[in-house]
Amino acid sequence: MTLTGRIRNIGPFLRSFIALGALNYAAMALGFVLTVVLTRRLGVEDYGRLAMVLMLGQVLLLATANWTHIGFVRFGSEEFSVSGRLSNAFWSRMLIAAPFAVLTVSALVWWRSSLAAYLGVPVWAIGVVIVQFLAVFVLRSLAAVFQARQEMARYGAMLVLEKAAVLILVVALPLALLSVSVVVALYAVGAILVVLVAVSMLGRQTLMPVECGDTSKRMFAFSLPLLISCWAGFFGANWFDFIIIRQFRPVSDVGLYSLGWQVVAVAQQITVVFSTLLLPKLSIMVSKGETSEIRGFLETTLPRWLITMSILFIVILLTARWVLPAIFGHAFEGSAPVLALLVVASSALALFNSLVPLVSASGLTWALSGVTLLSASANVLLNFVLIPSFGIIGAAWATVLAYSLSAGIILMLVHRRFGHVRHLPWFIAPVPLVYLTI
């Protein structure tokens, strides 16, 4: 039976998609409410400062852990299908990440005074960033165990609980005590609380005994190209945009740009859910040589998915101008033009995220790193060219062009390996056409 047939018959893939999708929507709703609360309590300037501080934690995750996630899911799902455990894959990932974590945390401690001055926060806030980074790393590692076991309901529950914990803590704290540094501390506390929940759900037997075998070598060889990809992804994403905007524009512009990203990320996360579910599924298909099912995915399932996402993006385009000021306040009215362009970029990202699991499952990690590196280089160059003259609108245009480049290259890569993809760009074309119309 083809993949499309299994979806029509309400198979495991669809049940997982519904479970993870519902929980992911809940997490996005909580994140949206958290953004509303923070923008109204902190204001434009402090919200921009918060975005810069949280960016520092993302840099630590990029250097330490994000690049081993795909490798962990791949080798973990294989180990779990054979033995019912993930101890080798889990501890292999920890072994690989440990030296990078020590190095990055040491660098942060060494430059703590300079970083605090640049970010406009007390020096002790850098210690809070380190704690938050460690808590989030452990939480995402435990959540990835559920993903590797294809327990998507529990994986989604981790997303919901993390957002809920932070939201409750922020709302409960008196306004007089709220500051950028305190909010980051609340993010750390929320992650720690959810880590305790994840440990209790997994139990001891899943991750024991502490052993690696030859899995650590295989995982490192598989993941090493993704280290380049993750760092390239940083330079090609909104976090690096913040740095360039801050260099040429006031920190309030970082707040406006950050809000545009926060809103569009709600829609982008749906494509991440789809990609998350596909990775273990396509890994098994590729390993078994199920070419007919892969063809069915490319010719039938993926076009339907892309046109659905295009409809969602068009709705956001048509309503952003009125909805943003109504929800976040008129101070954030300048985020609407940024959001419109980021929606266009997201249509290209939807195509990219849909094809990346197939590329990763095929072991083409060096090629994937090359695509990301080229896209990131384009984003950096375009940022320096466009932001000084056009501000945050220039940053958004740089993202559109960089994302379109990466989607085009990944499309050619998949076509060369599997074929059946030349028709896919037509299903995201309505989004830029609507943007140009309005």
Side-chain angles (χ1 to χ4, degrees):
M1 183 182 293
T2 65
L3 176 62
T4 305
R6 284 201 294 268
I7 290 177
R8 289 175 178 171
N9 288 312
I10 318 296
F13 184 89
L14 180 58
R15 288 196 296 271
S16 296
F17 184 84
I18 292 173
L20 181 57
L23 289 166
N24 200 69
Y25 287 140
M28 288 189 293
L30 291 171
F32 187 80
V33 175
L34 178 61
T35 300
V36 174
V37 173
L38 289 174
T39 52
R40 290 188 173 273
R41 288 193 165 196
L42 294 177
V44 177
E45 185 168 335
D46 274 350
Y47 186 73
R49 204 177 305 280
L50 175 64
M52 296 290 291
V53 177
L54 293 177
M55 176 199 69
L56 189 57
Q58 290 297 316
V59 171
L60 294 175
L61 286 171
L62 281 172
T64 303
N66 288 6
W67 58 285
T68 58
H69 177 82
I70 293 177
F72 172 74
V73 173
R74 177 183 177 180
F75 291 104
S77 59
E78 291 177 1
E79 181 184 353
F80 184 73
S81 66
V82 174
S83 65
R85 296 185 304 176
L86 292 97
S87 55
N88 279 336
F90 183 83
W91 294 111
S92 292
R93 186 188 191 191
M94 292 299 172
L95 178 64
I96 294 170
F100 290 91
V102 172
L103 182 63
T104 52
V105 169
S106 300
L108 209 62
V109 172
W110 181 266
W111 284 301
R112 61 188 182 279
S113 298
S114 300
L115 286 170
Y118 174 74
L119 296 170
V121 296
V123 174
W124 61 264
I126 303 302
V128 176
V129 171
I130 294 174
V131 173
Q132 190 235 355
F133 147 68
L134 294 173
V136 171
F137 169 54
V138 174
L139 174 58
R140 292 186 181 179
S141 297
L142 295 174
V145 172
F146 294 123
Q147 183 185 355
R149 300 199 308 190
Q150 299 192 48
E151 296 176 357
M152 296 305 176
R154 292 187 171 187
Y155 175 77
M158 297 299 100
L159 304 177
V160 173
L161 289 174
E162 183 183 9
K163 296 294 185 184
V166 177
L167 177 60
I168 291 171
L169 291 170
V170 169
V171 171
L173 194 72
L175 182 59
L177 299 178
L178 205 63
S179 67
V180 172
S181 304
V182 171
V183 170
V184 177
L186 297 181
Y187 271 87
V189 172
I192 292 170
L193 293 174
V194 183
V195 163
L196 298 176
V197 174
V199 169
S200 66
M201 292 172 64
L202 284 170
R204 175 185 173 86
Q205 65 279 4
T206 302
L207 304 178
M208 291 296 172
V210 180
E211 57 185 11
C212 298
D214 67 342
T215 304
S216 58
K217 296 179 181 178
R218 295 165 58 213
M219 187 182 296
F220 182 77
F222 177 88
S223 302
L224 184 58
L226 299 177
L227 176 60
I228 302 172
S229 177
C230 280
W231 273 106
F234 168 75
F235 289 104
N238 60 313
W239 302 108
F240 184 75
D241 296 350
F242 294 165
I243 298 174
I244 308 303
I245 293 170
R246 182 68 181 87
Q247 181 177 345
F248 295 102
R249 310 290 292 185
V251 71
S252 58
D253 275 14
V254 177
L256 294 173
Y257 191 72
S258 177
L259 179 63
W261 264 105
Q262 291 292 322
V263 175
V264 82
V266 175
Q268 288 181 356
Q269 193 64 27
I270 303 173
T271 71
V272 175
V273 172
F274 191 64
S275 181
T276 299
L277 287 167
L278 286 176
L279 179 58
K281 207 76 175 176
L282 289 175
S283 295
I284 295 173
M285 286 184 188
V286 171
S287 64
K288 293 182 177 180
E290 297 176 348
T291 55
S292 62
E293 298 197 355
I294 294 173
R295 187 182 301 114
F297 164 73
L298 293 172
E299 293 181 346
T300 306
T301 306
L302 190 51
R304 293 174 180 174
W305 168 255
L306 291 175
I307 196 64
T308 301
M309 291 307 303
S310 293
I311 293 171
L312 173 63
F313 291 142
I314 289 171
V315 171
I316 298 174
L317 275 177
L318 296 175
T319 58
R321 187 179 304 176
W322 299 279
V323 172
L324 276 183
I327 296 177
F328 300 100
H330 289 288
F332 287 90
E333 206 166 25
S335 295
V338 172
L339 174 60
L341 278 168
L342 293 178
V343 166
V344 177
S346 298
S347 64
L349 182 67
L351 178 58
F352 180 83
N353 281 345
S354 300
L355 295 175
V356 161
L358 187 56
V359 174
S360 300
S362 303
L364 302 175
T365 50
W366 281 108
L368 182 59
S369 294
V371 173
T372 311
L373 182 61
L374 185 60
S375 175
S377 300
N379 186 66
V380 170
L381 178 61
L382 290 167
N383 271 333
F384 279 108
V385 171
L386 297 176
I387 289 176
S389 299
F390 302 102
I392 54 179
I393 296 298
W397 267 112
T399 302
V400 171
L401 297 173
Y403 278 19
S404 299
L405 177 64
S406 60
I409 297 175
I410 204 77
L411 193 72
M412 290 188 293
L413 186 64
V414 173
H415 176 73
R416 182 177 297 180
R417 185 67 178 262
F418 298 99
H420 312 287
V421 295
R422 287 182 174 175
H423 59 298
L424 295 179
W426 292 106
F427 297 98
I428 61 171
V431 181
L433 289 176
V434 171
Y435 174 82
L436 293 174
T437 301
I438 65 175

